[in-house]
Amino acid sequence: MIHIPILRTGLSYRSLNLSHVSHIQTGEPLAVVSQANRGLIAKDLYQAKENKQTLEDLSVSELLAICKKAANLFMESELPLDDTLQSPDDYIQQVSGTTGLPQSLCLKNMGKIRLVLDEMEAVLDGLTRGLDLSIMDSGWGAQNERPLSYVPQTDTLGAVLPSNSPGVHSLWLPAIPLKTPLVLKPGSEEPWTSFRIAQALIEAGCPPEAFGFYPTDYSGAAEILLQCGRSLLFGGGSTVAPWQANPNVQIHGPGRSKVIIADDKISRWEEYLDLTVSSIAENGGRSCINASGVWVTSHGREIAEALAQRLADITPKPLDDPDAEIAAFTNPKVAEGISGLIDNQLKVPGATDLTAKHRDGERVVEEAGCTFLSPSVIWCADPEHPLANTEFLFPFVSVVEVPQDEILDRIGPSLVVTAITEDETFIHNLLGSPEVERLNIGPISTNQISWDQPHEGNLFDFLYQQRALQVSRG
């Protein structure tokens, strides 16, 4: 059986404490995963300063070249997986087998990671707002004839990672060319991607000391978040809530992303139906950048009916079907629980599941030995309804109609907002809204990422702080 080891300064380590990760269809163990306890993680973190020095010894340009080489290795090569080799096809089948993500979507996510590694120079240009990256090598320099210096805020970047979608791992990749070693806690169902990325970067010439990989439990994850100077935390609302006030932890929780169609474009809503469907259903609806809300100023019921008809055409398929578009749930009880929660909330007046009349059978579907949730479109006649602003891990969307001057007061925190409008006053109000993390003005899908723009938070600003600097050469 495949063994996934701990990585301690990039070196494989087998623990006496092993957990199993099972295939979603057969229930049979697909791999055993070495587990790191809290004490082991704390002990290894004592070496953080020495580990960082291995990256400081390389220039940013050298690290960018390593990232570019790793892009092809990650996508195309056999890479070490403890005492065996993992091919790209192996990786795709393993990720799909333990997460329920269709193999076709695993391949797409693999391409996203390759793109970020390959285009890392453009990514850093966006994160640093065009900083001369040689300043990162010397510690200081000049830009626009002014002295400039940045001081690192940490010797390590911790990352407590999810299992929902491999593409999310692209968010921590810039840490390497930003000369910050990684302490990775993989998702319990998806240890594959972060391990393969680390192996690709090491194979490309990155110092192995830059990588700690620690499959662990809640206490081990807490140790990473407490002891790393800066950390990323991915998870649902209950997971991230205890860490919301910690400035050293960057939260990546529920997105509650939205499409808004304003007064000046609402009469042409049919032109934006494809974009809205893509925003809701791309990547199986599993990403925080998928739209879970469509907010409109009129034609709300009509738009909801059209979306319900379109999304009902997306049906569960076997995970190896090249046309599969939605993911299975690794735990059938989770799917049943989500569906039950939706049905209970639908008992509250003011909301209707419009997809129910278009699908055969129930929302929970058994297909090819897996459990799926069929896409659901909820028409919320009441904008205060509990389903009007919520998010689930499948293609789920609420359609809400309110006057334009009420939208920004009602939508709540939103990771991505696509605002289909040319109304300058409304655009100005959107730009001034603290509730909108990422703003797309015009017909741009919520899931369309420009990698030279920060996705959620700015990793450079999180890892470095500009210091005041005066230089006298007299």
Side-chain angles (χ1 to χ4, degrees):
M1 185 182 297
I2 297 168
H3 170 242
I4 301 174
I6 296 166
L7 293 180
R8 305 176 69 187
T9 60
L11 301 176
S12 294
Y13 176 86
R14 188 182 184 101
S15 172
L16 294 176
N17 182 17
L18 302 172
S19 70
H20 291 82
V21 58
S22 298
H23 196 283
I24 187 174
Q25 288 172 296
T26 66
E28 294 296 319
L30 188 58
V32 293
V33 186
S34 279
Q35 298 295 294
N37 62 44
R38 190 168 190 167
L40 178 72
I41 296 168
K43 179 181 178 182
D44 287 357
L45 284 172
Y46 281 120
Q47 302 179 57
K49 191 174 292 293
E50 292 84 354
N51 295 339
K52 181 172 174 60
Q53 189 59 48
T54 65
L55 292 178
E56 293 286 358
D57 290 340
L58 297 172
S59 67
V60 173
S61 62
E62 288 173 317
L63 291 168
L64 288 172
I66 287 170
C67 288
K68 190 170 282 290
K69 184 177 179 181
N72 289 332
L73 290 169
F74 175 78
M75 193 79 186
E76 299 171 2
S77 296
E78 289 188 332
L79 292 170
L81 184 57
D82 197 30
D83 58 357
T84 187
L85 291 174
Q86 180 194 60
S87 71
D89 286 342
D90 293 336
Y91 163 78
I92 289 169
Q93 292 169 20
Q94 289 157 350
V95 172
S96 178
T98 62
T99 67
L101 196 69
Q103 292 181 17
S104 58
L105 298 186
C106 292
L107 180 61
K108 285 184 179 180
N109 279 275
M110 206 176 180
K112 292 177 186 177
I113 293 168
R114 177 186 189 170
L115 177 64
V116 172
L117 285 167
D118 192 53
E119 298 293 333
M120 187 60 74
E121 186 171 3
V123 173
L124 292 193
D125 188 66
L127 292 175
T128 65
R129 305 170 189 88
L131 178 71
D132 178 354
L133 295 176
S134 66
I135 291 174
M136 305 300 296
D137 299 328
S138 61
W140 68 286
Q143 192 152 322
N144 298 324
E145 299 183 354
R146 295 179 179 177
L148 197 59
S149 178
Y150 287 87
V151 58
Q153 299 299 291
T154 182
D155 291 328
T156 57
L157 176 67
V160 177
L161 300 167
S163 296
N164 60 308
S165 175
V168 73
H169 295 281
S170 58
L171 297 179
W172 51 262
L173 292 177
I176 292 299
L178 290 175
K179 304 190 178 189
T180 309
L182 290 155
V183 178
L184 306 172
K185 186 269 178 194
S188 58
E189 295 159 358
E190 213 280 79
W192 312 100
T193 303
S194 49
F195 191 91
R196 184 173 175 84
I197 291 171
Q199 295 301 321
L201 285 161
I202 293 169
E203 187 77 12
C206 191
E209 293 86 349
F211 298 97
F213 175 85
Y214 299 100
T216 188
D217 58 12
Y218 176 82
S219 66
E223 187 70 19
I224 291 171
L225 296 174
L226 289 169
Q227 299 303 326
C228 291
R230 292 288 188 270
S231 294
L232 311 179
L233 173 60
F234 297 81
S238 60
T239 299
V240 303
W243 302 92
Q244 289 278 6
N246 189 326
N248 296 332
V249 178
Q250 189 181 90
I251 300 297
H252 296 262
R256 297 189 177 91
S257 297
K258 297 172 180 71
V259 173
I260 296 173
I261 308 179
D263 278 334
D264 61 324
K265 298 294 183 180
I266 195 64
S267 64
R268 297 164 51 190
W269 64 265
E270 290 173 295
E271 297 178 24
Y272 310 115
L273 198 59
D274 286 347
L275 175 147
T276 307
V277 169
S278 172
S279 294
I280 298 163
E282 186 75 16
N283 202 41
R286 280 201 165 192
S287 301
C288 54
I289 55 177
N290 285 117
S292 56
V294 176
W295 290 68
V296 298
T297 58
S298 63
H299 300 279
R301 177 72 185 238
E302 191 178 1
I303 292 168
E305 293 278 8
L307 286 172
Q309 191 166 358
R310 287 283 300 275
L311 287 168
D313 290 337
I314 302 175
T315 56
K317 292 180 171 61
L319 299 182
D320 59 357
D321 189 318
D323 296 322
E325 297 179 79
I326 54 176
F329 281 77
T330 55
N331 185 346
K333 291 183 179 179
V334 172
E336 293 162 3
I338 290 172
S339 186
L341 175 62
I342 294 169
D343 288 336
N344 283 334
Q345 292 187 334
L346 285 169
K347 294 175 183 176
V348 179
T352 307
D353 182 356
L354 297 183
T355 35
K357 61 187 176 185
H358 295 290
R359 60 176 179 250
D360 295 329
E362 301 298 319
R363 187 182 294 110
V364 180
V365 177
E366 302 292 330
E367 171 66 36
C370 295
T371 302
F372 298 83
L373 286 176
S374 293
S376 295
V377 177
I378 309 298
W379 161 240
C380 287
D382 178 5
E384 298 295 328
H385 193 276
L387 289 176
N389 197 357
T390 191
E391 176 178 289
F392 296 108
L393 205 60
F394 75 109
F396 172 94
V397 68
S398 300
V399 181
V400 188
E401 179 182 317
V402 294
Q404 182 168 300
D405 60 3
E406 295 182 15
I407 287 179
L408 294 181
D409 292 328
R410 290 185 176 273
I411 61 171
S414 306
L415 174 58
V416 185
V417 166
T418 284
I420 301 174
T421 184
E422 294 180 6
D423 181 332
E424 293 296 333
T425 299
F426 189 47
I427 291 171
H428 177 77
N429 292 337
L430 283 160
L431 290 168
S433 173
E435 302 280 40
V436 179
E437 176 85 17
R438 185 183 185 102
L439 179 61
N440 298 329
I441 299 173
I444 303 168
S445 297
T446 60
N447 53 284
Q448 182 176 325
I449 296 296
S450 175
W451 291 110
D452 62 353
Q453 295 279 339
H455 162 62
E456 184 178 5
N458 186 314
L459 191 61
F460 176 68
D461 289 345
F462 191 52
L463 296 177
Y464 286 85
Q465 180 177 322
Q466 185 176 352
R467 62 153 56 95
L469 177 67
Q470 299 181 89
V471 180
S472 172
R473 297 187 183 278

